[in-house]
């Protein structure tokens, strides 16, 4: 046959679209062209496919070979179309199962020796193929475990191009080749630090439980050595395990980032970008291919900004829109990509550049102007989006006081948080929301569970005096509901509102 067709997937963010790869033979002059809005790396597939076929004894037809990637208006990026292009090109002249070729999605990059190399984004691509009704997909053997995480689709892992065309009915010898290996996955992905290791910060631990119970954003301010980083690192361990949908979304973002994915981790992700990170690295971007940033990799988990005063003000302010919407849309010339950004923000900052401002027994050498400039990085609009502002002091004991009760472990804290979230989900069962942090302010103030005027009196007074914005007012109500859920109550009282206001305004512990 002179025209052959097969399938591949074009990714735009986490969304994938089925692409029909058509190959056609026309005039006798040998030439190989790819059309259909390919990027530069995809245009280079001509040479990769040609050499891979020749080196495996599968020479391409010596005629004009045109490969069209349809729909032509959809941008295509990367080297993951190589296998589909090679199979379609070979099927134009060789006896292969046309129906099987046309109904199979092919993913993978070709080496010049014909081996299939792994590519990023296999998990979301296979998921997109399954949603589109495709029943078989071919991937590089190194991506086999990742592709098999998607249910309802047959996955074939191949080491070289000869294996792929043999599956489609072409009688060729399969050489003994060493499959291209995938980088090892981090062995500690499911390991979480123990909460009981935190000494002497009982009020901070209580605030961490409230943040975990409602999905609230947290700011910790205090001198070096107060335990801010330790607490932030322990937040993912006390969050409820990810469900199937969230784990698949987290795995898909990791796959797009080029990380190896061989299983779906149930532990919420934890991202801690360095304070020198750029805006593009934080929110996502890229010159040719739009890659997810730290906020997308932290989605369904925790984004920790340590030494927040050292971040650029523009990088911090770039978080404002994702904090409100739970997603990030990146616009580049000719392409728009959307990524999830449902993360809990944890911000840690010192009281001044030297860290000793207002610390008992320490001397601060920072001039007042430097202190003001340091805190001005955290703009008012960003602080208004943070639910809990906690001021911490240095630990003054080497071990916990037994008279204050047993130290809370990670497993006990996770169980307590899970019970609180279950109460919230039951209360919100007739709505679209499941966590207190997701509930709109209008529903909190005017919905069927709106608190009585006597309960709202503390925050009404704070709003009247200008201590709170209306956004801050709503965030205090959300934290109050989380406090009630942790206490096992079905409604908030004035004590919950007062405690939530205390946490919002960051009164020293």
């Amino acid at each position: 046959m002179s025209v052959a067709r097969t399938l591949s997937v074009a990714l735009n963010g986490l969304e994938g679209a089925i692409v029909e790869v058509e190959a056609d033979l026309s005039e006798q002059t040998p030439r190989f062209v790819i059309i259909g809005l390919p990027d530069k790396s995809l245009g280079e597939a001509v040479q990769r496919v040609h050499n891979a076929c020749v080196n495996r004894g599968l020479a391409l037809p010596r005629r004009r070979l045109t490969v069209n990637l349809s729909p032509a208006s959809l941008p295509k990026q990367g080297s993951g179309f190589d296998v589909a292009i090679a199979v379609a090109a070979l099927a134009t002249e060789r006896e292969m199962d046309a129906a099987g070729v046309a109904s199979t999605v092919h993913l993978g990059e070709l080496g010049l020796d014909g081996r299939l190399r792994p590519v990023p984004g296999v998990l979301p691509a296979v998921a997109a193929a399954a949603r589109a009704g495709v029943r078989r997909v071919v991937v590089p053997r190194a991506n086999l475990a990742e592709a098999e995480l998607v249910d309802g689709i047959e996955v074939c892992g191949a080491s070289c191009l000869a294996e792929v065309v043999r599956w489609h009915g072409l009688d060729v010898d399969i050489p003994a080749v060493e499959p291209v290996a995938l980088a090892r996955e981090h062995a500690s992905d499911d390991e979480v630090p123990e909460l009981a290791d935190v000494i002497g910060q009982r009020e901070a631990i209580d605030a961490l439980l409230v943040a975990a119970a409602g999905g609230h954003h947290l700011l910790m301010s205090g001198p070096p050595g107060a335990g801010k980083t330790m607490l932030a690192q322990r937040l993912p361990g006390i969050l409820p395990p990810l469900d199937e949908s969230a784990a698949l979304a987290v795995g898909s973002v990791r796959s797009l980032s080029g990380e190896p994915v061989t299983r779906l981790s149930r532990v919420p992700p934890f991202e801690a970008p360095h304070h020198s990170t750029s805006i593009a690295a934080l929110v996502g971007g890229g010159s040719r291919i739009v890659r997810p940033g730290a906020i997308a990799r932290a989605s369904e988990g925790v984004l920790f900004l340590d030494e927040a005063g050292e971040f650029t003000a523009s990088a911090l302010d770039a978080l404002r829109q994702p904090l409100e919407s739970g997603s990030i849309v990146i616009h580049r010339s000719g392409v728009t990509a959307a990524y999830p950004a449902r993360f809990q923000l944890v911000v840690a900052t010192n009281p001044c550049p030297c860290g000793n401002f207002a610390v008992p027994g320490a001397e601060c050498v920072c001039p007042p102007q430097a202190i003001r400039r340091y805190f001005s990085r955290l703009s008012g609009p960003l602080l208004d989006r943070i639910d809990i502002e906690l001021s911490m002091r240095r630990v003054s004991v080497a071990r916990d006081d037994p008279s204050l009760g047993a130290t809370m472990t990670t497993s006990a804290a996770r169980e307590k948080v899970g019970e609180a979230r279950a109460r919230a989900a039951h209360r919100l069962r007739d709505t679209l929301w499941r966590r207190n942090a997701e509930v709109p302010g209008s529903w909190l103030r005017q919905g069927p569970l709106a608190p009585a005027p006597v309960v709202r009196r503390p925050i009404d007074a704070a709003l009247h005096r200008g201590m709170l914005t209306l956004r801050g007012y709503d965030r205090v109500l959300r934290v109050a509901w989380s406090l009630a859920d942790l206490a096992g109550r079905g409604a908030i009282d004035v004590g919950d509102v007062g405690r939530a206001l205390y946490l919002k305004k960051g009164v020293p512990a």
Side-chain angles (χ1 to χ4, degrees):
M1 61 186 301
S2 62
V3 179
R5 295 178 176 85
T6 190
L7 303 174
S8 193
V9 176
L11 289 173
N12 183 17
L14 286 185
E15 297 299 319
I18 296 295
V19 172
E20 188 176 57
V21 181
E22 303 174 297
D24 176 56
L25 294 178
S26 54
E27 60 191 55
Q28 296 297 324
T29 304
R31 194 181 177 192
F32 190 175
V33 295
I34 298 176
I35 60 176
L37 211 57
D39 70 345
K40 183 176 180 180
S41 60
L42 181 49
E44 293 172 347
V46 169
Q47 199 61 49
R48 289 194 300 271
V49 170
H50 177 270
N51 285 43
C53 291
V54 170
N55 290 331
R56 284 295 165 221
L58 300 167
L60 294 173
R62 294 191 58 79
R63 294 169 59 186
R64 179 184 175 91
L65 179 61
T66 303
V67 174
N68 179 43
L69 308 177
S70 178
S73 59
L74 181 70
K76 292 92 179 174
Q77 303 168 335
S79 57
F81 292 86
D82 287 4
V83 177
I85 292 172
V87 170
L90 291 170
T92 58
E93 197 174 59
R94 296 176 180 261
E95 291 295 329
M96 298 169 66
D97 178 11
V101 170
S103 61
T104 302
V105 163
H106 296 86
L107 303 169
E109 176 185 330
L110 283 174
L112 297 184
D113 58 356
R115 290 188 299 172
L116 269 63
R117 298 182 176 276
V119 292
V122 165
L123 182 57
V126 175
R131 289 193 298 269
V134 177
R135 289 294 167 260
R136 187 165 73 162
V137 60
V138 174
V139 300
R141 191 173 299 277
N143 291 128
L144 179 60
E146 178 179 341
E148 288 179 335
L149 296 173
V150 181
D151 295 328
I153 191 166
E154 178 189 357
V155 180
C156 305
S159 299
C160 70
L161 181 60
E163 287 185 57
V164 179
V165 296
R166 189 178 180 91
W167 286 336
H168 291 308
L170 189 60
D171 187 16
V172 296
D173 294 329
I174 300 178
V177 296
E178 184 72 21
V180 179
L182 194 65
R184 288 190 176 183
E185 191 172 16
H186 298 296
S188 59
D189 280 351
D190 288 343
E191 296 179 7
V192 293
E194 177 54 55
L195 184 63
D197 293 339
V198 180
I199 303 298
Q201 293 287 6
R202 295 301 178 89
E203 188 160 353
I205 291 175
D206 290 343
L208 198 70
L209 290 178
V210 176
H216 304 294
H217 307 307
L218 173 65
L219 166 66
M220 294 181 288
S221 176
K228 304 184 293 294
T229 301
M230 283 189 69
L231 285 165
Q233 291 172 339
R234 281 149 181 78
L235 179 55
I238 67 176
L239 295 175
L242 300 176
D243 59 22
E244 186 73 23
S245 175
L248 184 62
V250 170
S252 296
V253 172
R254 287 185 56 190
S255 176
L256 280 172
S257 300
E259 299 180 34
V261 179
T262 58
R263 57 192 173 80
L264 294 181
S265 174
R266 303 294 174 166
V267 177
F270 180 81
E271 287 289 325
H274 191 261
H275 60 74
S276 63
T277 191
S278 65
I279 296 178
L282 189 61
V283 303
S287 57
R288 293 196 304 267
I289 300 178
V290 180
R291 294 295 188 194
I295 65 173
R297 296 193 300 272
S299 188
E300 307 295 343
V302 177
L303 177 67
F304 177 48
L305 303 184
D306 199 5
E307 306 293 346
E310 302 293 340
F311 281 80
T312 63
S314 56
L316 292 174
D317 285 338
L319 299 175
R320 287 156 51 180
Q321 182 268 332
L323 285 173
E324 288 292 320
S325 65
S327 63
I328 180 68
V329 180
I330 303 167
H331 297 270
R332 292 293 181 267
S333 178
V335 63
T336 300
Y339 293 105
R342 290 165 43 89
F343 58 88
Q344 274 187 256
L345 178 64
V346 178
V347 178
T349 182
N350 293 330
C352 67
C354 77
N356 292 325
F357 179 69
V359 177
E363 180 183 0
C364 177
V365 297
C366 302
Q369 184 178 2
I371 297 175
R372 288 195 299 270
R373 184 168 57 249
Y374 190 76
F375 270 103
S376 67
R377 303 284 180 85
L378 296 172
S379 65
L382 178 62
L383 291 175
D384 205 30
R385 288 166 168 81
I386 292 178
D387 306 285
I388 300 173
E389 299 177 26
L390 184 66
S391 181
M392 298 175 60
R393 295 176 179 173
R394 282 180 178 153
V395 178
S396 58
V397 294
R399 63 180 65 186
D400 267 335
D401 186 352
S403 65
L404 298 177
T407 302
M408 182 171 291
T409 63
T410 294
S411 58
R414 187 189 306 118
E415 182 178 357
K416 192 171 183 179
V417 168
E419 292 172 356
R421 288 207 176 188
R423 293 187 187 98
H426 179 73
R427 182 177 65 253
L428 301 170
R429 61 189 180 278
D430 296 329
T431 70
L432 300 175
W433 320 295
R434 290 298 175 264
R435 299 184 304 170
N436 292 322
E438 301 170 353
V439 182
S442 58
W443 195 89
L444 290 168
R445 288 178 268 109
Q446 304 168 13
L449 298 179
V454 66
V455 175
R456 300 197 309 263
R457 187 174 300 162
I459 50 176
D460 285 337
L463 182 66
H464 180 71
R465 293 195 301 268
M467 294 175 59
L468 287 176
T469 64
L470 189 58
R471 180 189 283 122
Y473 184 104
D474 295 337
R475 291 190 178 279
V476 171
L477 284 178
R478 294 185 184 109
V479 174
W481 273 111
S482 296
L483 288 164
D485 291 332
L486 283 169
R489 293 190 297 271
I492 60 175
D493 58 26
V494 68
D496 296 324
V497 172
R499 174 65 178 169
L501 185 60
Y502 172 90
L503 292 172
K504 172 61 181 173
K505 299 311 297 179
V507 178

